[in-house]
């Protein structure tokens, strides 16, 4: 195993440890914000700053180590499609009434997206690749997850009129089945990317995404059930019919 793969494996192991910890302590942003999380910044600023490293670092690595081959170009396009949207478009779709974000959350996420941007960018510019069924299947999964994530986030934004900050029961799309289809889509997306890149680094990102979003889906689901007496009983937290 190369030193780079050992580093990626260590990062993956940390992600796997985050999962049980996050089940006990919900990340304090959005509806789970608590005063003790410290000073806050507007959500739009937080999202742009904390997601930018993953948008910019792979591009920087590609500029340093250009690699005009089909698979690296596909992987770079997938990663940038997501992160250019997440850092520079998504924040401006967030309703003005969204909860401010604790600086501590934005700082932690900035560190995460920096490490992850470097890991994925390094794989894209350095790992040997061949056109392989994994690349095709992974790309299909990526787009399926991307579509579910974006559609579900759009449903959430449409729940608030300008200036509103309250919460409503989301309906439509996969909300008929689960409380957090946006998280489900994001998880499918990065599992697809892991398959397409068939790398330990790609797998580490999928593990970190599950570690962040599975506990948060559980927390959102319990919160919905406690907050809305008429919350649909058949709806699961994250996985249709299962969980
Ligand atoms: P949430 O679903 O908690 O919130 C998304 C936005 O919708 C927020 O602006 C929120 O407002 C608003 N909102 C949520 N539910 C309702 C509701 N019932 N009624 C009205 N408004 C609502 O998602 P996150 O903020 O946790 O995540 C945003 C995106 O980032 C998602 O696409 C997620 O997949 C992705 N993400 C990816 C991670 C990864 O590890 N890859 C980690 C974390 C997020 P408010 O902020 O006021 O609650």
């Amino acid at each position: 195993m190369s030193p780079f793969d050992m580093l990626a494996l260590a990062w993956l192991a940390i992600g796997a440890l985050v999962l049980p910890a996050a089940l006990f302590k919900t990340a304090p942003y959005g509806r789970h914000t608590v005063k003790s999380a410290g000073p806050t910044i507007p959500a739009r600023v937080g999202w742009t700053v904390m997601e930018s490293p993953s948008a910019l670092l792979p591009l920087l690595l590609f500029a340093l180590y250009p690699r005009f081959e089909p698979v690296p170009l596909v992987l770079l396009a997938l990663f940038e499609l997501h992160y250019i949207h997440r850092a520079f478009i998504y924040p401006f779709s967030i309703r003005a009434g969204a909860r401010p974000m604790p600086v501590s959350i934005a700082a932690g996420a900035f560190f995460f997206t920096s490490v992850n941007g470097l890991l994925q960018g390094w794989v894209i510019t350095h790992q040997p690749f061949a056109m392989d069924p994994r690349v095709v299947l992974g790309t299909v999964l990526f787009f399926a997850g991307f579509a579910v994530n974006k559609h579900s986030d759009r449903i959430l934004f449409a729940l608030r009129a300008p200036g509103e900050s309250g919460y409503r029961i989301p309906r439509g799309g996969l909300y008929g089945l689960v409380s957090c289809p946006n998280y489900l889509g994001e998880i499918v997306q990065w599992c697809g990317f892991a398959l397409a890149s068939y790398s330990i680094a790609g797998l580490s990102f999928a593990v970190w995404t599950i570690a962040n979003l599975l506990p948060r889906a559980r927390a959102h689901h319990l919160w919905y059930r406690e907050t809305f007496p008429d919350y649909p009983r058949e709806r699961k937290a994250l996985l249709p019919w299962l969980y």
Side-chain angles (χ1 to χ4, degrees), residues 29-31 47 86 90 94 97-99 149 153 156-157 159-160 166-168 170 182-183 186 190 205 208-209 212-213 216 220 224:
Y29 71 91
R31 77 199 65 185
W47 279 99
R86 180 69 88 221
Y90 175 84
I94 294 175
R99 304 279 171 288
N149 175 262
D153 275 342
L156 291 182
F157 293 146
L159 292 173
R160 285 182 183 154
Y167 293 92
R168 294 201 169 86
N182 52 344
Y183 294 169
E186 181 105 19
W190 295 117
F205 187 21
W208 269 94
T209 302
N212 282 327
L213 296 183
R216 194 164 179 81
H220 274 21
Y224 275 125

Side-chain angles (χ1 to χ4, degrees), residues 135-198:
V135 179
V136 178
L137 183 59
T139 302
V140 170
L141 268 182
F142 179 95
F143 278 111
F146 185 84
V148 169
N149 175 262
K150 296 291 161 283
H151 181 243
S152 309
D153 275 342
R154 255 204 309 278
I155 289 178
L156 291 182
F157 293 146
L159 292 173
R160 285 182 183 154
E164 259 186 9
S165 59
Y167 293 92
R168 294 201 169 86
I169 300 177
R171 297 188 195 276
L174 286 185
Y175 285 101
L177 296 172
V178 293
S179 295
C180 299
N182 52 344
Y183 294 169
L184 174 62
E186 181 105 19
I187 288 170
V188 169
Q189 200 182 315
W190 295 117
C191 288
F193 186 85
L195 184 62
S197 74
Y198 50 93

Side-chain angles (χ1 to χ4, degrees), residues 17-187:
L17 291 176
V18 162
L19 197 153
L23 283 171
F24 286 102
K25 184 161 174 19
T26 304
Y29 71 91
R31 77 199 65 185
H32 306 292
T33 306
V34 287
K35 275 220 167 72
S36 58
T40 58
I41 48 176
R44 286 176 178 168
V45 176
W47 279 99
T48 302
V49 171
M50 74 192 197
E51 303 293 317
S52 293
S54 272
L56 302 177
L57 289 172
L59 288 179
L60 177 67
L61 284 173
F62 197 84
L64 292 173
Y65 306 100
R67 197 176 175 200
F68 293 96
E69 297 165 33
V71 179
L73 284 173
V74 166
L75 294 174
L76 183 69
L78 297 182
F79 201 75
E80 291 299 328
L81 174 69
H82 174 85
Y83 271 107
I84 288 176
H85 178 276
R86 180 69 88 221
F88 306 116
I89 298 172
Y90 175 84
F92 301 95
S93 317
I94 294 175
R95 292 293 194 186
R99 304 279 171 288
M101 177 176 290
V103 174
S104 54
I105 290 286
F110 184 89
F111 175 71
F112 172 78
T113 59
S114 301
V115 175
N116 193 48
L118 287 172
L119 284 179
Q120 310 310 327
W122 192 264
V123 163
I124 290 168
T125 50
H126 288 78
Q127 179 170 294
F129 285 112
M131 201 28 112
D132 179 295
R134 289 173 292 187
V135 179
V136 178
L137 183 59
T139 302
V140 170
L141 268 182
F142 179 95
F143 278 111
F146 185 84
V148 169
N149 175 262
K150 296 291 161 283
H151 181 243
S152 309
D153 275 342
R154 255 204 309 278
I155 289 178
L156 291 182
F157 293 146
L159 292 173
R160 285 182 183 154
E164 259 186 9
S165 59
Y167 293 92
R168 294 201 169 86
I169 300 177
R171 297 188 195 276
L174 286 185
Y175 285 101
L177 296 172
V178 293
S179 295
C180 299
N182 52 344
Y183 294 169
L184 174 62
E186 181 105 19
I187 288 170

